[in-house]
Amino acid sequence: MSKFKKKKSGDLPAISTASLPDIVFMLLFFFMVATVMRQNTLKIENRLPAANQVEKLAKRNLLMYIYAGKPSSSYKQYGSLSRIQLNDKFAGVDEIKAFIAAERAAKREEEVPFLTTVLSVDKETNMGLVSDIKQELREVNALKINYKTRKGDALQGVSDN
């Protein structure tokens, strides 16, 4: 008489990979939506001044950036004097009003009072250019201004003359 044995296996069943492509595409779309791409390509030198009382701004979507400084080495054809950069192009002081109006138009109406203008100014930039920028901002009632700096000792390198 033959003996029949039951096969006892403790093996786990194979994991189904049928839903794996769905999960991969869901993660892909999540990261595509959640990732913030760099908004502007700097065409100017932007060595920021140091400050010891630095804090980050919370809502980055309510910030309008105005850059000022000498054109970088790739853009020397624009001269060696300090220039203003709005978004991805060089601009004159007279174009600031239109820039602020366009930024306000792109935001929802309830966000407009909370918009802040960030001045990212190279430490070698002439203060006259900064004053001109601030004067244009006053004329369009963009009075919330923040200066972009790097963290460090503000008095380092300053002599006691």
Side-chain angles (χ1 to χ4, degrees), residues 24-39 61:
V24 169
F25 282 115
M26 187 171 50
L27 286 172
L28 177 69
F29 286 126
F30 170 77
F31 287 114
M32 285 173 54
V33 171
T35 303
V36 177
M37 302 302 276
R38 185 178 183 107
Q39 293 176 348
N61 63 331

Side-chain angles (χ1 to χ4, degrees), residues 22-107:
D22 294 336
I23 294 170
V24 169
F25 282 115
M26 187 171 50
L27 286 172
L28 177 69
F29 286 126
F30 170 77
F31 287 114
M32 285 173 54
V33 171
T35 303
V36 177
M37 302 302 276
R38 185 178 183 107
Q39 293 176 348
N40 296 320
T41 303
L42 283 181
K43 296 181 178 183
I44 61 166
E45 293 178 3
N46 202 350
R47 295 179 312 264
L48 298 173
N52 53 12
Q53 299 287 325
V54 177
E55 65 182 71
K56 286 192 171 217
L57 297 176
K59 295 188 177 183
R60 295 182 62 92
N61 63 331
L62 297 177
L63 303 178
M64 303 175 289
Y65 287 91
I66 297 177
Y67 301 95
K70 293 179 182 177
S72 64
S73 58
S74 305
Y75 299 96
K76 286 297 181 190
Q77 69 265 24
Y78 293 102
S80 61
L81 295 176
S82 294
R83 305 276 314 244
I84 298 171
Q85 180 182 339
L86 304 174
N87 290 333
D88 278 338
K89 65 181 181 106
F90 288 115
V93 176
D94 55 332
E95 297 177 57
I96 293 175
K97 290 179 187 176
F99 169 73
I100 297 295
E103 290 290 318
R104 286 179 176 167
K107 301 293 181 194

